[in-house]
Amino acid sequence: MEPGEPREPREPGPGAETAAAPQWEEAKTFYDNLAPQKKPKSPKPQNAVTIAVSSRALFRMDEEQRIYTEQGVEEYVRYQLEHENEPFSPGPAFPFVKALEAVNRRLRELYPESEDLFDIVLVTNNHAQVGVRLINSINHYDLFIERFCMTGGNSPICYLKAYHTNLYLSADAEKVQEAIDEGIAAATIFSPSRDVAVSQSQLRVAFDGDAVLFSDESERIVKAHGLDRFFEHEKAHENKPLAQGPLKGFLEALGRLQKKFYSKGLRLECPIRTYLVTARSAASSGARALKTLRSWGLETDEALFLAGAPKGPLLEKIRPHIFFDDQMFHVAGAQEMGTVAAHVPYGVAQTSRRTSPTKQAAPAQ
């Protein structure tokens, strides 16, 4: 070849393409990681297990509530606007919501196209102007909450059925009672007396039995005729299922999602675990409770029959994200041991509810 004569292009040697491929894939991965990550789409309400949570259940709003109570709505809105770039602190329902999202991540890995997921809806009677601070707080904690219902002072309960709500959690006992009266599973959530670490990878939900999962039939007999008559009644009706209580449907929804993990051979690694924690005695009245669940095609992973013993110490060992009970005495006992407890205002125990000053549960603010 003479000097200055152009070179002929060379054919790529063997392996040149395969050598370039890893470099291209590495570059593509690098730039994909730089791009903003797209959040998953919300499931359709009719396909999801919908959990409606009030703003005061999800976040701590003690100071804001004090201003609203003492100074009125205008000062309250002004304060919220002035502080809208300051995220709220997590409230009692916050760990529960984070656990729901952890389950969703596992479900999306196993069933990418399925909408059988938890869907969290923020339900509040706040003015829409306060929504900016709520949105900022949700983004600050990287929560996946796309659906909001802000009713500007009106009760949000009328919207719960439109959202296909499976469970409503609020710090407002009157709104919870209104939801229960409408046939919606609901509970007033209470902050624990002390913080206790809960699982980051497994959702744990504990239920009382009577007047929560089951009707209050048996509690009525205890109050009217005493324990001996109650034991006789339970023995005689052992094979007759109890009627359903307000949270039976929520346990059913949890069981449906559990079965999606079971079908993949993940029963022992299931990220949802349920507990029955009841004051019933196993020998004298436990069989009817278990047979009732079986007749519904339901089960709990663990069943703890305490025969009247305090529930708090057992709950401290379980460390559930939430515990549901119809009696404030048990709610207060759970709080003292660091458990997030929720009161279900249903059944005969509500007609003559009394709480001693030392056992008075403090609601979430």
Side-chain angles (χ1 to χ4, degrees):
M1 180 186 298
E2 296 296 328
E5 185 178 341
R7 295 175 179 268
E8 292 187 12
R10 291 182 179 179
E11 292 292 325
E17 292 182 8
T18 55
Q23 296 177 11
W24 163 247
E25 291 299 329
E26 185 178 337
K28 182 176 183 298
T29 302
F30 173 77
Y31 287 111
D32 283 347
N33 290 337
L34 288 180
Q37 297 299 305
K38 185 179 180 182
K39 286 190 174 183
K41 287 169 46 176
S42 295
K44 295 183 179 67
Q46 62 268 30
N47 298 333
V49 178
T50 301
I51 312 298
V53 185
S54 77
S55 56
R56 287 199 295 135
L58 185 59
F59 298 117
R60 292 191 182 276
M61 303 175 67
D62 306 56
E63 179 63 15
E64 291 78 6
Q65 186 66 15
R66 184 192 65 79
I67 292 171
Y68 176 81
T69 302
E70 296 178 1
Q71 303 179 40
V73 64
E74 295 303 325
E75 187 62 25
Y76 170 81
V77 172
R78 186 190 66 78
Y79 180 89
Q80 295 281 34
L81 292 176
E82 288 179 355
H83 294 80
E84 68 179 19
N85 292 320
E86 300 173 15
F88 293 111
S89 298
F94 189 92
F96 176 64
V97 168
K98 293 291 284 186
L100 298 176
E101 294 190 342
V103 174
N104 276 356
R105 285 193 292 272
R106 293 285 305 279
L107 285 168
R108 286 190 172 103
E109 290 169 2
L110 295 172
Y111 302 93
E113 302 303 318
S114 175
E115 290 194 333
D116 211 358
L117 302 160
F118 291 112
D119 188 24
I120 298 109
V121 179
L122 188 69
V123 176
T124 174
N125 62 351
N126 266 306
H127 192 281
Q129 288 295 327
V130 181
V132 174
R133 191 177 182 192
L134 290 169
I135 291 169
N136 288 341
S137 298
I138 284 168
N139 290 335
H140 173 79
Y141 294 109
D142 197 28
L143 298 175
F144 185 63
I145 301 178
E146 297 290 316
R147 302 191 205 280
F148 273 44
C149 178
M150 292 175 282
T151 60
N154 292 330
S155 173
I157 303 305
C158 62
Y159 295 104
L160 293 180
K161 288 185 178 179
Y163 279 101
H164 298 264
T165 300
N166 295 90
L167 176 68
Y168 171 57
L169 296 175
S170 175
D172 189 326
E174 290 185 5
K175 290 187 178 64
V176 167
Q177 185 65 66
E178 189 180 343
I180 287 283
D181 293 343
E182 290 293 321
I184 297 165
T188 309
I189 195 165
F190 292 82
S191 295
S193 300
R194 55 189 173 88
D195 291 333
V196 172
V198 292
S199 174
Q200 301 296 308
S201 58
Q202 184 181 63
L203 170 66
R204 298 177 186 174
V205 184
F207 300 89
D208 178 32
D210 296 294
V212 175
L213 293 179
F214 315 129
S215 73
D216 67 339
E217 169 196 325
S218 298
E219 288 191 349
R220 288 181 179 277
I221 292 171
V222 172
K223 288 192 176 295
H225 305 291
L227 276 174
D228 289 340
R229 182 69 176 274
F230 162 72
F231 293 143
E232 293 172 6
H233 177 270
E234 292 302 289
K235 190 66 177 175
H237 294 81
E238 180 179 310
N239 295 311
K240 180 183 178 183
L242 289 153
Q244 71 178 51
L247 264 67
K248 181 254 188 178
F250 180 52
L251 176 62
E252 194 170 32
L254 292 177
R256 187 175 79 242
L257 295 184
Q258 282 180 309
K259 287 175 182 176
K260 295 177 78 70
F261 292 98
Y262 299 168
S263 66
K264 296 288 188 179
L266 297 172
R267 177 180 282 269
L268 297 181
E269 295 82 33
C270 182
I272 303 172
R273 192 164 184 85
T274 56
Y275 304 79
L276 173 64
V277 182
T278 173
R280 282 175 174 251
S281 164
S284 59
S285 56
R288 191 180 186 198
L290 295 178
K291 288 183 177 181
T292 295
L293 290 174
R294 185 192 302 165
S295 73
W296 294 342
L298 300 178
E299 60 181 316
T300 56
D301 294 292
E302 298 187 29
L304 304 173
F305 294 91
L306 303 186
K311 298 180 179 182
L314 267 294
L315 291 166
E316 184 182 25
K317 299 300 181 185
I318 295 170
R319 298 195 175 190
H321 293 89
I322 193 166
F323 164 61
F324 297 97
D325 203 292
D326 67 305
Q327 299 198 41
M328 292 297 291
F329 176 83
H330 291 305
V331 169
Q335 279 184 285
E336 288 179 2
M337 305 304 287
T339 297
V340 174
H343 177 243
V344 181
Y346 176 83
V348 67
Q350 313 312 312
T351 58
S352 57
R353 194 175 79 212
R354 296 289 185 272
T355 54
S356 68
T358 57
K359 287 288 185 179
Q360 179 66 49
Q365 294 298 319

